Amino acid sequence: MKRILFIILLTTALASCTESKKNTECIDEKVDDIIAKMTLEEKIGQMVQLTSRWEMTGPAPAGEHMQGQLQAIKNGEVGSMLNVTGAEACFEAQKLAVENSRLKIPMIFGYDVMHGYQTMFPIPLAMSASWDTAVIRLASKIAAREASSAGLNWTFGPMVDISRDARWGRVMEGSGEDPYLGSVLAKAYIEGYQGNTLSSHESIAACAKHFAAYGFAIAGRDYNSVDISNNTLFNVVLPPFKACSDAGAATFMNSFNDLNGIPATANSFLLRDILKEKWEFKGFVVSDWGSIRELIDHGNAADKKEAALKAVIAGSDMDMEGDCYASSLKELVESGTVSETIIDDAVERILRVKFQLGLFDDPYKYCDTTREKAELLKAENLAASRDIARKSIVLLKNNNKLLPLKKSGQRIAVIGPLANDKDSPLGSWRAQAIRNSAVSLLEGVKAAVEDSSKITYALGANLTIGESRFHKMLQFNETDKSGFAEAITAAKNADVVLLAIGENCFQTAEGRSQVDIGLKGVQMELFRELYRANKNIVIVLMNGRPLVLNELDEKAPAILETWHLGSESGNAIADVLFGDYNPAGKLSMSFPRAVGQCPIYYNHLNTGRPSNTWGGVFWSHYTDEENSPLYPFGYGLSYTNFDYSPIKMSAKTMSSNGTIKASIDVKNTGNLDGEEIVQLYIQDVTASIVQPVRLLKAFNKIFLKAGETKTVEFTLSAKDLSFYSNDYKLILEPGTFNVFIGTNARDTQTSSFTVE
């Protein structure tokens, strides 16, 4: 009855919003009406986000801090909570705010739903290897459906940081090294999470993070400083964030790093000048966990009061677990140090998102336990997970056409520390995934083969010592080889060996940077022993970052990059191993030959000494390794082959406001049908600001039957050929442009034209 009465009263109070004033204008009127009634304490409360440290559905929490949190919610002094999960728990928490606070303003519930809620999809770096916006959109849509059924209405994703350094553990959360691909996929994430309208009970608010330049942490060390040029900031870092803003992302999140010596959380250039003014972003900005309080550790603020002052002036609207706004903003406003209009702007942004979500119409719309039970892990979600997983797999090597394998009459040895692992495939940042619920490689292979095939399993060696958990540092097995003998015997008695090695899923993600990105523990020793026993080895890599794989590339006849693929991992890998799906994934990050090359990326500058023109050592190179990556950006093989014709240009010149077309014929010269991702790159040969040797500007995923030829045509416009100046102005300069079209950033056909 209380709920019904609340809805009737609210509807009556806001009836002045006429039918003709829909959406934005209507919501703005409602927001203004509420702000006019709020006390300063209530306004500041909307800018506070707390994490749950107690059981929402159990007895009253114990402890002074927890009682204080409970009372703050009842007083209407908490705008949002994170880490409250489940429809029942979110209902109880929402009831505390709505039924006890003076203005009955509902809370918004946030959570890290990065690649699924309970049905797990491939980690984002893996999904980016699909180069498929439909894949990203579907995965995030299903994740939103599951999360919204469990009481949540806000995800702290997507992470759209561009990163070029595989040492950084958080590369697993992003879409790789390229700003164009990253922008296209960022838009798809927003569309998937938020749907056609935020008011749908199946949509959740997205949060573009981390704003900005977090992926450029020095030395790939998490939380480290960032020191980049405006050229890199404007042309590499910001484009995916701009794509999120243009797509209507409801929220943005600050990054932990400093930029130009100013922490991002207190960086008015980023938050006010670019995001809120130049891009006209209307949503709100939330800090990352404690990042306002961390202004003290940065050396940018003396105490929480000064940290609150700098963050709110800069444009940080909500304090996630920093206890700076709650403890200091009232005093800052009452003393006249901070204008209340700044507070009003932040609260207006937060309330607007709550109205867009429909929380004022029904605060409990996401708290349906019946829907929750029906939605989580349902069959169609798992089927989508399997299909998306196989589209994310990248074939790195396949000598002598070892793959695909036959389903019948084969003796297959499935070996390795990850071969029967049902947990690591779920990936890190796994939301509410059920532990050990993934389909293992061994299970997938057994389900795929016919009775005439014989499957033998051997562990070989453990990867880690003890239990692997998200909040613990991993210890790797460096000595125990007691399982080698059994594995060697299995290999000797097999026609082919499937060796599942790589990374435990908790080797990547936040706080998991590494100086050594090779295979840990005794994995390489296991490979060498098995290789002596049986040369027909297929390496099944499971990992969350690019790895150094030189020896494997030199010796192993076949390498399949399967990442951490989610709930249906084993089935998806089996689909590819046995040819039910022809792999079409392409790398979104370059794989280095040595960790000393990091950061390594395809779209580098040419330098003044790019090649060994005069002989000797005086050019830009290493004396002990090649400059090039082992596997370049955009790389990925198929079970068939594709031939590219020379490029055809529609003209030799293009006007500064015109367009030009580049086309190429692609032929499937193999015996199997397959998909190919045709990639177009450009180079601005001479520019006032030096430009990269290649820049991805378009791609097209095509399906070709065996023997079929298709013409792929791309249209380039002035926008595609422009770049941002150091004062953030988009400019196009006349001159020569090279065009590259091919199967990856290295292997391309070339042509050129002139912009007049």
Side-chain angles (χ1 to χ4, degrees), residues 210-213 233-234 237-238 241 252 254-255 257-260 262-279 285 314-315:
H210 306 85
F211 196 63
L233 176 65
F234 297 153
V237 171
L238 292 186
F241 289 102
F252 268 55
N254 292 320
S255 56
N257 56 279
D258 64 285
L259 185 66
N260 290 326
I262 302 174
T265 303
N267 198 309
S268 60
F269 173 69
L270 284 175
L271 302 181
R272 293 221 183 265
D273 296 352
I274 292 181
L275 179 61
K276 293 183 176 181
E277 292 183 20
K278 192 171 186 66
W279 295 355
V285 177

Side-chain angles (χ1 to χ4, degrees), residues 119-331:
T119 301
M120 284 293 106
F121 296 94
I123 59 173
L125 183 63
M127 284 196 286
S128 71
S130 71
W131 292 51
D132 193 329
T133 55
V135 159
I136 302 299
R137 200 175 294 111
L138 178 60
S140 51
K141 181 179 180 180
I142 293 173
R145 284 208 308 257
E146 287 199 349
S148 63
S149 78
L152 299 170
N153 37 50
W154 184 19
T155 175
F156 302 129
M159 193 197 89
V160 298
D161 295 298
I162 298 301
S163 181
R164 298 163 163 178
D165 198 331
R167 295 173 297 178
W168 191 47
R170 301 195 80 163
V171 298
M172 61 80 56
E173 296 177 54
S175 294
E177 70 188 48
D178 182 70
Y180 177 80
L181 178 62
S183 298
V184 170
L185 299 186
K187 179 176 182 287
Y189 272 113
I190 302 301
E191 293 170 345
Y193 285 129
Q194 298 189 170
N196 295 325
T197 173
L198 272 180
S199 63
S200 168
H201 69 285
E202 293 186 341
S203 297
I204 58 178
C207 184
K209 68 181 188 185
H210 306 85
F211 196 63
Y214 190 27
F216 282 73
I218 294 172
R221 195 175 78 234
D222 213 356
Y223 315 119
N224 205 3
S225 297
V226 168
D227 194 359
I228 59 174
S229 66
N230 278 351
N231 185 26
T232 300
L233 176 65
F234 297 153
N235 290 293
V236 180
V237 171
L238 292 186
F241 289 102
K242 179 64 162 58
C244 289
S245 179
D246 290 345
T251 66
F252 268 55
M253 181 184 287
N254 292 320
S255 56
F256 284 116
N257 56 279
D258 64 285
L259 185 66
N260 290 326
I262 302 174
T265 303
N267 198 309
S268 60
F269 173 69
L270 284 175
L271 302 181
R272 293 221 183 265
D273 296 352
I274 292 181
L275 179 61
K276 293 183 176 181
E277 292 183 20
K278 192 171 186 66
W279 295 355
E280 299 181 342
F281 174 68
K282 300 301 181 185
F284 71 86
V285 177
V286 62
S287 78
D288 207 335
W289 183 287
S291 69
I292 297 179
R293 184 179 62 247
E294 289 175 13
L295 297 180
I296 302 169
D297 294 305
H298 275 286
N300 190 241
D303 50 29
K304 289 197 290 186
K305 181 179 176 182
E306 186 177 7
L309 169 64
K310 290 194 170 185
V312 77
I313 292 294
S316 293
D317 302 309
M318 183 177 284
D319 181 2
M320 179 195 289
E321 274 295 311
D323 191 37
C324 294
Y325 285 0
S327 65
S328 304
L329 276 187
K330 181 181 179 183
E331 180 184 347

